[in-house]
Amino acid sequence: MSFVLTINGRDHPVDASPETPLLYVLRDDLRLNGAKFGCGLGQCGACTVQVDGKAAYACLLPVAAAAGRRIRTVEGLGTAEAPSPLQKAFMVEQAAQCGYCIAGMIMRAQALLDATPRPTEAEIRAHMQPNLCRCGTHMRILRAIRRAAGLPVEAASA
Amino acid sequence: MSLGWKTPAPPAAALALALAACTGGARLPPPPPQTFSAAEIEKGAELAKLADCQGCHTADGGQAFAGGRPLKSPFGTIYTRNITPDPSTGLGRYSREAFVRALRRGVRFDGAELYPAMPYDHFAYADDADLGALYAYLMTRRPKDRPPTPNELIPPANIRGAVAIWKALFFHPGRFQPTPGQSAEFNRGAYLVQSLGHCGACHTPHNILDAEETKKPLQGGVQEGWYAPPLNALSPASVPWTPERVYRFLRTGFDRDHSAAAGPMGSVVRELARAPEPDVRALSVYLATLMQPASAAKGRAAPADHAAQAAAAQPAGAALYAGACAACHDAGAAMMREGRPPLQFATPPQEDRPTDVIQVILQGVQPATGPRGPYMPAFAGTLSDGQVAAIAAYVRARYSDRPPWKDLTSAVAKGRRQGGQG
Amino acid sequence: MSVGAPSRRDALAGGALVVAFSMTGHARAQEARGPQKTVPPALPGSLKTTPWLDAWIRVDVTGQITVFTGKAELGQGIKTALIQIAAEELDVPPQSLRLITADTGQTPNEGFTAGSHSMQDSGTAILNAAANVRMILGQAAARRLGVAADLLATTGEGRFKAPDGRLAGYGELAAGLSLHVEAQPNAPLRSRQGGKLMGQDYPRVDIPAKVTGGQAYVQDLRLPGMLHARVVRGPSFGTELTGPDFAAAQAMPGVVAVARNGRFAAVIAEREWTAVQALQRLQQAAWRRTAPPLPEGRPEAGLSGASQDQVIFDKPGGAGGAKTVKARYSRPWLMHAAVGPSCAVALLRNGQMTVWTHSQGVYPLRGALAQLLRMPPDKVRCIHVEGSGCYGHNGADDVAADAALAALAVPGRPVRMQWMREQEHGWEPLGCVQVGEAEASLDASGRIAHFRYEVWSHSHNGRPMTAGGLVAGAEVDPPFPPQVPRPIPMPEGGGDRNAIPIYAVPAGRVVSHFVRDAPLRASALRSLGAHLNIFAIECFMDELAKAAGADPVAFRLAHLDDPRARDVVSRCAEAFGWAARRPSDGRRGAGFAFARYKNLASYCAVALEVEVEHETGAVKVGRVTAAVDAGEAVNPNGLQNQIEGGIVQALSWAGLEAVGFDAAHRTSFDWSAYPIARFKDVPRSVAVQVIDRPGLPFLGAGEASQGPASAALANAVADACGARIRDLPLSPERVKGAIGV
């Protein structure tokens, strides 16, 4: 079946069976690398994108349910040459080890900052809870989010 | 069903009691912690688990028993109170007598009314000794100075005095009566269900003024947007509940012939997992006995799985299910070979109303007893009302033999509001 | 992969691919370097095994410099550090360098990227190779410009400058030279004269792509005509599906082939989602256990089997102190559990198999694959491309074999094979269960008089050296015999890594028990046996300090002679504010631990504070402070990142993790059955002090904080509430059980 996906402000016609999770369409049809396969079960957040402004697991969002909605991926924030403020904060904080989780982290954090520009420490941690990092980069990810939000980079008490 | 259920006291007597309570009472200073015996504290710790005091009296991320958790009701939001022994904001202001009175009669230390969000209509059935032990346990916790969060209630519920009228109408506690001829274990279970366990607070239908319909005990109720299914002959479970299965469910939040505890049941299980085994066994025996007629009626019919018919009847829902749900819930999924039950074994698709199927899709499931255990992601942020409705319709068609649910899309919208997923 | 190119966006699909295809047709001179040569040990690092300069550094006529390393980027920042080293010694801008990492077609054979060896081996080799190249180019420049070499200066842009201002570029100089010469051991090091780049927090070269959706991982590789595959297996290692319906899968639209060889099977499809669905269809089959039943009950049950015992430390005398303390510690089976399941791309074309892999050892993998595929090794090429988190021997090699076997079925078409989440959890090799038993006596002055330690462990080294070390090796027909696990000898050790106390003990004995037969699949997990041994010994040091009535830090210092060790301990304690810390109040407490990884690599101390929730036993970690001495710190921020990440990961191991299993299989099949730390679980803050030692050898640091962090946690819990928990993990149930009502 044909669908039109609105991704990062542009319409993309795609041809896929309606149940196909958005993740595979993004990666394989549209050649976008940001969203990653981590579990396919909505447990790790490596595939996180924004749908109508909210953080969503692309691995569990059928393309039929994604059509007609505003989809945003990490590629829509900025580029290596012109990164968005949040991407820039991740670079400044050197907030990656293997980095496999990072695009999903950025997209989930961006959804928080869009809704709550100056979140508390507890709000940041609660919001980021769905996304896993195995390298233990959490402290730097938190610093990057605080930096992008204009908060003191070191942790306040949660 | 009246197995061991309450024997109401005459309304007039209750009214008199309630009015008497309003006149206040002696504000005795609480005893110092060292006056409680270790055995009493330990007993109180066990009872606090059976009553899931923590579940309501602990805010997300807050200190245990320091209160502040929002409880939604038809009349707005009530924030639970600090029940640590803090002298200015917690139980430090309660003497033992005042504490027992609060649990029995719903009266605050200063004589003001307590909202019935506090299930004193159940605690009234508890033994004095049990309430005393609970007091000993709570008074030996670490005090936390945490002033109350103001409630957000609509008139007239925002006037505490109105509770007196509510009590006069609905609050007529009696004493617990054991059922003759039943085992001690059964009667222990009955006692716990009716008193500290306060199962009816969720599982009994509530009337328009949010009082339990005591004539329909444990026939299923709505709490915080979730439907707590009937725990008696009306149980819709597709596989009969046995004492062993109930025990497993209460202890772990999961039974492979049923499903996982979700919503408010999660915190109940978290506590029951650490409660004394004989008590949880007693609860299981009692509840399985209540549900036995439903199980007998069900016989040995295989749970439904009408995949082809459901796909034909609900093609949109089938496609969404295949992309959003099948990775866990369809044959061949990892979860399916790891003992997590296929959906025809779960109770929600069998229920008369779609409430739980909707809420579980919107809110997901968090493991009940710790980080490990059945989990489901929340779809509230990703699926529209219509999409959730389509999946719910497909699930009903595929996994039950019952008639389709009606007005699903508006039920999803309502579920979103009630579950705080607006 | 090229580094520092103007745009990285298409580096993978463009750069690597072009290189790859150009490599398959004709061999370069460097590729045919021949067998490794043994040279005098004077050469440092990996120059010992690969002494030729052009194996490490090449300069083309335009002056473009390419640096080669046999080590792989695992997210530890090795690429950045190596670029810093090479740029420093060559005195060129770091962004002008190209760096080629582990590729059997191009780079030296440096074995595995493991054991915190990359800086020691490859960093040291490139440091000295670059110094050699600069020396040789300088000599050539001296000849060309007619000036004495010591009057020439480098300009920082790849040229030499004479005192009169005349210039000679590296490219033109290299054109007249051969770098196919052996390195000299003592080429002067520019970095020793106060370099600019080493020691700086040079930004990681791989991060911009990773935060903007650039192509960064083998998972992102998209080759023309590429197919997608999934491997068909039972739920976990030691099981198989019984009669999966291959015909049904083959009949699904979009399925190209079902590749089968013996019990091995992979489904190959045009689209990835089709492959996933076909796999789920096949997994509807029942499964059975193919290996002996697993020992249910206590996780360490398997350790009671026959063992090879070795005394690894023996210092007689000293028995019979005033006070004796004895304790037993354990850790359960642990998982690597990378967030991204293992992945590889394989292509069979013109009789040549090329495999893009995130294996930690491209050369050993090539050997194992050649056996498995029954192809000559020179017809197999393994190219490292980054994967998701690598903390040891995970599924990377196995999935490379799966991809290659699948590619055999569709010659000419690249096959991208990725494991599913449950396959990674179920089939990856694990870090094994271990038990450590310590006993010591204290003399009248409260010093250790005698120290005995014994450790029981399975293997920590199941890395594939042969086809039998790959999952698929046991599935193909005929199957390859499984590799026989062997202990890793001291001084590095495997299960007994760090089993010898670093502390000054007048007498003692340490015995290592190697239990060869493991019920589950065991191999290398970050820090190997050092994790349990450091956990045990560092917890035990606290128990001894308590028995001696001494402060834990003071007790350690009283038994430490090595000034660098003392420095790390003191600096960590000072930064934490150990002396002025709040006394424990039954709820809050602080813990300390220290180790020198392998007793020969980095020194690391960790201090942390915890709060124990009495009602539930939940442990919350607050402030964490660490100090590390890794020798000369090439990139302090990168070093901090490694230590910090190791601490957070180790706290997850120590606080939460244990692989579950029943008689038939692993039951930890996904994140709900094997939870790891999430944001609410991680510490409030982690601060790492780097003690830089300019001019001293690089010491590996990637695994240095695992043991100390785990022990510091247990020590802090004991300090907070008196509950000494000796079995990992320190789960809320265990803590609650220990503290009571």
Side-chain angles (χ1 to χ4, degrees):
Chain A
M1 286 173 77
S2 292
F3 298 93
V4 176
L5 296 179
T6 308
I7 297 167
N8 301 327
R10 278 184 51 203
D11 285 353
H12 298 266
V14 296
D15 194 37
S17 59
E19 83 285 358
T20 312
L22 176 65
L23 176 67
Y24 298 104
V25 176
L26 292 176
R27 292 190 58 83
D28 299 338
D29 297 81
L30 303 174
R31 306 171 75 85
L32 294 169
N33 300 309
K36 302 283 193 291
F37 177 83
C39 63
L41 307 167
Q43 297 180 348
C44 77
C47 65
T48 305
V49 298
Q50 280 180 23
V51 177
D52 290 338
K54 288 186 176 166
Y57 300 115
C59 72
L60 293 181
L61 183 61
V63 67
R69 320 206 22 203
R70 281 181 300 117
I71 297 159
R72 200 181 187 198
T73 72
V74 78
E75 288 88 349
L77 298 187
T79 62
E81 295 73 32
S84 75
L86 184 57
Q87 288 171 321
K88 176 88 185 157
F90 271 74
M91 292 183 191
V92 171
E93 293 296 337
Q94 293 283 288
Q97 288 183 57
C98 86
Y100 195 85
C101 69
I102 292 296
M105 292 284 182
I106 290 175
M107 293 317 290
R108 186 165 300 275
Q110 188 65 53
L112 172 67
L113 297 181
D114 290 347
T116 312
R118 288 178 68 84
T120 64
E121 181 68 12
E123 283 172 334
I124 297 174
R125 290 191 186 221
H127 179 88
M128 298 305 291
Q129 189 73 350
N131 283 39
L132 289 176
C133 167
R134 184 51 162 167
C135 297
T137 318
H138 303 73
M139 312 316 297
R140 287 171 181 240
I141 294 168
L142 290 169
R143 279 201 288 271
I145 297 170
R146 292 183 208 120
R147 176 178 289 278
L151 299 166
V153 168
E154 290 311 323
S157 291
Chain B
M1 170 61 59
S2 64
L3 283 173
W5 204 245
K6 30 182 127 167
T7 330
L15 184 61
L17 270 173
L19 291 173
C22 286
T23 61
R27 291 185 61 176
L28 303 171
Q34 58 272 21
T35 56
F36 302 108
S37 77
E40 197 176 27
I41 295 169
E42 191 152 345
K43 183 177 174 196
E46 294 173 350
L47 294 169
K49 292 181 188 111
L50 291 161
D52 189 19
C53 304
Q54 268 203 63
C56 287
H57 286 280
T58 307
D60 189 22
Q63 183 180 320
F65 303 115
R69 181 169 182 260
L71 295 181
K72 294 199 172 186
S73 81
F75 307 108
T77 303
I78 287 182
Y79 291 88
T80 58
R81 293 304 186 241
N82 182 354
I83 56 168
T84 70
D86 184 71
S88 56
T89 62
L91 280 189
R93 297 169 293 183
Y94 284 74
S95 65
R96 184 185 192 279
E97 290 68 28
F99 177 81
V100 170
R101 187 183 68 174
L103 268 66
R104 275 267 158 73
R105 306 279 167 235
V107 177
R108 206 163 66 182
F109 67 93
D110 60 358
E113 298 289 355
L114 287 170
Y115 284 110
M118 170 77 177
Y120 44 77
D121 49 343
H122 288 277
F123 296 161
Y125 289 83
D127 289 350
D128 263 1
D130 282 357
L131 295 178
L134 213 45
Y135 180 68
Y137 173 68
L138 291 171
M139 289 303 285
T140 48
R141 297 308 90 200
R142 184 161 61 89
K144 168 83 178 175
D145 178 5
R146 191 195 162 284
T149 312
N151 296 328
E152 295 151 9
L153 294 170
I154 54 167
N158 57 343
I159 304 162
R160 276 194 186 269
V163 174
I165 300 164
W166 186 92
K167 282 183 178 173
L169 290 169
F170 306 118
F171 181 48
H172 317 298
R175 307 297 294 177
F176 171 72
Q177 302 290 338
T179 306
Q182 288 286 359
S183 68
E185 192 176 35
F186 173 96
N187 278 312
R188 173 69 179 162
Y191 167 73
L192 290 172
V193 164
Q194 188 177 350
S195 62
L196 292 173
H198 67 282
C199 305
C202 291
H203 288 274
T204 294
H206 286 54
N207 66 19
I208 191 160
L209 290 175
D210 210 20
E212 285 183 33
E213 297 183 43
T214 47
K215 293 201 172 67
K216 301 179 181 173
L218 303 179
Q219 292 193 14
V222 172
Q223 197 60 251
E224 296 186 70
W226 293 79
Y227 179 62
L231 300 180
N232 58 14
L234 301 174
S235 166
S238 48
V239 178
W241 282 103
T242 63
E244 192 52 41
R245 286 169 177 153
V246 178
Y247 177 79
R248 214 158 36 220
F249 184 84
L250 293 178
R251 209 63 168 168
T252 66
F254 175 72
D255 174 59
R256 60 190 305 161
D257 291 327
H258 292 86
S259 52
M265 192 63 194
S267 83
V268 175
V269 167
R270 185 152 50 248
E271 293 298 285
L272 290 182
R274 302 181 289 135
E277 178 178 338
D279 284 338
V280 184
R281 293 258 176 225
L283 285 172
S284 312
V285 165
Y286 175 66
L287 291 171
T289 309
L290 291 188
M291 293 189 280
Q292 208 278 328
S295 303
K298 212 138 288 153
R300 293 186 188 280
D305 185 2
H306 312 296
Q309 298 95 306
Q314 303 287 343
L320 293 171
Y321 180 93
C325 317
C328 292
H329 291 295
D330 250 4
M335 256 179 53
M336 293 296 95
R337 16 179 227 203
E338 299 299 335
R340 308 268 171 95
L343 287 179
Q344 62 267 35
F345 287 78
T347 302
Q350 316 300 330
E351 290 169 358
D352 289 340
R353 51 185 103 188
T355 312
D356 286 342
V357 166
I358 290 169
Q359 287 300 357
V360 84
I361 296 172
L362 290 175
Q363 299 190 39
V365 176
Q366 290 296 326
T369 58
R372 191 174 283 102
Y375 159 88
M376 172 169 157
F379 287 87
T382 42
L383 296 177
S384 68
D385 291 357
Q387 289 161 351
V388 174
I391 293 174
Y394 172 78
V395 165
R396 176 73 159 183
R398 178 167 171 188
Y399 294 117
S400 87
D401 295 315
R402 302 179 184 216
W405 288 313
K406 295 198 172 59
D407 301 324
L408 273 169
T409 305
S410 58
V412 177
K414 187 176 160 204
R416 248 186 230 275
R417 286 194 303 275
Q418 291 179 334
Q421 312 284 324
Chain C
M1 289 170 68
S2 71
V3 161
S7 165
R8 297 183 38 80
R9 183 144 281 235
D10 286 310
L12 268 181
L17 185 59
V18 169
V19 172
F21 286 133
S22 71
M23 291 302 298
T24 51
H26 49 91
R28 284 189 188 165
Q30 290 84 3
E31 213 183 341
R33 263 189 308 274
Q36 293 172 19
K37 183 179 165 184
T38 310
V39 295
L43 283 173
S46 292
L47 289 173
K48 281 187 195 68
T49 48
T50 308
W52 291 279
L53 294 182
D54 66 346
W56 301 97
I57 292 168
R58 286 179 222 158
V59 185
D60 74 11
V61 288
T62 69
Q64 172 67 55
I65 301 174
T66 307
V67 179
F68 298 84
T69 174
K71 300 291 184 180
E73 176 67 53
L74 311 175
Q76 83 283 45
I78 190 69
K79 284 206 285 208
T80 308
L82 294 179
I83 285 171
Q84 282 178 271
I85 291 170
E88 179 82 71
E89 282 305 329
L90 292 162
D91 196 22
V92 294
Q95 59 275 17
S96 73
L97 291 175
R98 288 180 71 224
L99 177 71
I100 307 286
T101 60
D103 174 352
T104 61
Q106 302 193 73
T107 68
N109 179 357
E110 292 192 85
F112 294 102
T113 304
S116 300
H117 267 282
S118 296
M119 290 301 288
Q120 282 154 286
D121 296 354
S122 208
T124 305
I126 289 171
L127 179 82
N128 287 282
N132 267 275
V133 168
R134 187 172 44 80
M135 182 178 74
I136 292 172
L137 291 172
Q139 288 159 354
R143 286 193 297 274
R144 169 153 326 177
L145 299 173
V147 230
D150 56 6
L151 292 178
L152 293 171
T154 47
T155 63
E157 299 133 1
R159 291 188 288 191
F160 286 97
K161 187 175 179 181
D164 59 8
R166 283 177 304 140
L167 296 163
Y170 291 1
E172 49 183 305
L173 295 168
L177 287 172
S178 168
L179 291 180
H180 193 58
V181 295
E182 293 188 15
Q184 300 303 304
N186 293 316
L189 292 173
R190 197 178 159 272
S191 53
R192 293 288 176 272
Q193 282 100 56
K196 298 184 292 277
L197 196 57
M198 281 168 61
Q200 299 299 307
D201 290 335
Y202 189 71
R204 283 246 309 267
V205 297
D206 52 330
I207 284 184
K210 289 176 176 177
V211 301
T212 55
Q215 281 172 310
Y217 305 95
V218 69
Q219 284 88 348
D220 301 336
L221 214 52
R222 292 181 197 90
L223 307 188
M226 188 171 81
L227 298 167
H228 292 274
R230 290 294 181 276
V231 67
V232 186
R233 297 206 158 102
S236 70
F237 190 81
T239 70
E240 67 177 6
L241 294 179
T242 53
D245 191 346
F246 290 116
Q250 178 80 64
M252 288 172 69
V255 170
V256 173
V258 176
R260 295 180 64 184
N261 178 347
R263 294 190 295 129
F264 174 87
V267 59
I268 306 170
E270 293 284 350
R271 296 178 68 103
E272 191 170 8
W273 176 238
T274 309
V276 171
Q277 287 182 305
L279 175 64
Q280 191 167 347
R281 177 74 189 80
L282 290 162
Q283 285 183 172
Q284 290 180 18
W287 58 272
R288 67 169 171 234
R289 183 150 188 88
T290 53
L294 297 168
E296 287 178 282
R298 291 177 65 80
E300 65 260 38
L303 287 176
S304 54
S307 66
Q308 280 166 249
D309 307 331
Q310 198 187 352
V311 178
I312 56 173
F313 175 76
D314 197 8
K315 206 168 168 186
K323 219 178 216 175
T324 300
V325 182
K326 191 174 172 181
R328 188 173 193 270
Y329 305 86
S330 76
R331 78 157 198 187
W333 289 87
L334 294 174
M335 226 175 245
H336 300 81
V339 165
S342 295
C343 182
V345 177
L347 169 64
L348 178 69
R349 175 177 286 178
N350 302 330
Q352 172 88 29
M353 179 68 78
T354 306
V355 181
W356 289 265
T357 168
H358 55 107
S359 165
Q360 284 181 284
V362 287
Y363 278 92
L365 175 63
R366 179 179 71 166
L369 288 184
Q371 254 191 10
L372 177 74
L373 304 171
R374 300 175 201 284
M375 291 171 73
D378 65 350
K379 291 289 180 198
V380 179
R381 179 178 176 195
C382 296
I383 303 170
H384 182 270
V385 187
E386 273 187 75
S388 173
C390 180
Y391 325 103
H393 176 204
N394 59 12
D397 301 282
D398 298 309
V399 79
D402 297 344
L405 285 171
L408 289 180
V410 283
R413 294 197 69 177
V415 175
R416 178 183 180 278
M417 167 76 77
Q418 184 164 14
W419 277 5
M420 300 302 288
R421 169 48 47 203
E422 64 269 22
Q423 293 176 325
E424 192 75 25
H425 269 63
W427 289 85
E428 67 148 88
L430 305 172
C432 73
V433 63
Q434 275 189 256
V435 169
E437 209 176 81
E439 183 178 3
S441 55
L442 298 168
D443 66 19
S445 67
R447 286 184 62 90
I448 299 171
H450 185 269
F451 193 105
R452 181 182 70 81
Y453 182 72
E454 295 190 45
V455 57
W456 286 261
S457 177
H458 299 295
S459 170
H460 291 266
N461 182 16
R463 293 181 186 278
M465 304 305 292
T466 67
L470 299 162
V471 168
E475 294 174 333
V476 294
D477 184 30
F480 291 86
Q483 289 183 177
V484 178
R486 285 192 179 80
I488 303 170
M490 293 305 262
E492 298 210 346
D496 46 10
R497 182 168 290 183
N498 279 90
I500 300 173
I502 190 170
Y503 299 101
V505 293
R509 185 177 163 89
V510 177
V511 186
S512 169
H513 304 273
F514 177 77
V515 184
R516 194 194 64 186
D517 296 325
L520 295 160
R521 186 182 186 205
S523 193
L525 171 67
R526 195 173 187 179
S527 81
L528 313 191
H531 179 240
L532 182 270
N533 294 322
I534 294 170
F535 172 75
I537 291 174
E538 286 301 296
C539 285
F540 193 61
M541 285 299 281
D542 262 38
E543 299 201 51
L544 289 175
K546 191 177 173 192
D551 170 78
V553 171
F555 186 76
R556 283 176 175 81
L557 286 171
H559 291 87
L560 276 176
D561 296 331
D562 181 344
R564 289 173 75 175
R566 297 180 60 87
D567 218 13
V568 165
V569 169
S570 306
R571 290 277 286 274
C572 179
E574 195 180 307
F576 181 78
W578 181 261
R581 73 190 185 283
R582 183 169 47 199
S584 67
D585 58 2
R587 182 167 65 87
R588 286 172 298 191
F592 192 95
F594 159 78
R596 182 180 190 193
Y597 185 51
K598 301 188 224 174
N599 287 337
L600 48 76
S602 287
Y603 303 80
C604 180
V606 175
L608 55 81
E609 55 184 30
V610 298
E611 183 172 341
V612 179
E613 194 184 46
H614 208 84
E615 276 64 39
T616 57
V619 177
K620 223 175 211 168
V621 181
R623 207 162 45 88
V624 184
T625 302
V628 61
D629 171 355
E632 176 159 19
V634 173
N635 189 322
N637 187 280
L639 175 57
Q640 285 168 326
N641 203 356
Q642 281 297 292
I643 297 296
E644 195 178 304
I647 289 170
V648 174
Q649 186 180 65
L651 292 176
S652 177
W653 291 0
L656 284 173
E657 297 180 30
V659 174
F661 52 89
D662 59 21
H665 77 317
R666 289 185 205 171
T667 51
S668 300
F669 68 101
D670 71 354
W671 299 114
S672 78
Y674 191 82
I676 64 171
R678 292 178 181 264
F679 277 92
K680 286 184 185 173
D681 309 314
V682 298
R684 189 172 79 236
S685 66
V686 179
V688 180
Q689 302 260 319
V690 172
I691 301 174
D692 193 12
R693 304 284 185 194
L696 291 188
F698 308 136
L699 300 176
E703 301 159 287
S705 56
Q706 309 300 111
S710 300
L713 178 69
N715 289 340
V717 169
D719 180 54
C721 62
R724 170 55 67 183
I725 296 164
R726 302 185 182 87
D727 298 308
L728 292 174
L730 284 86
S731 60
E733 303 80 59
R734 263 196 192 133
V735 175
K736 179 67 187 158
I739 54 184
V741 178

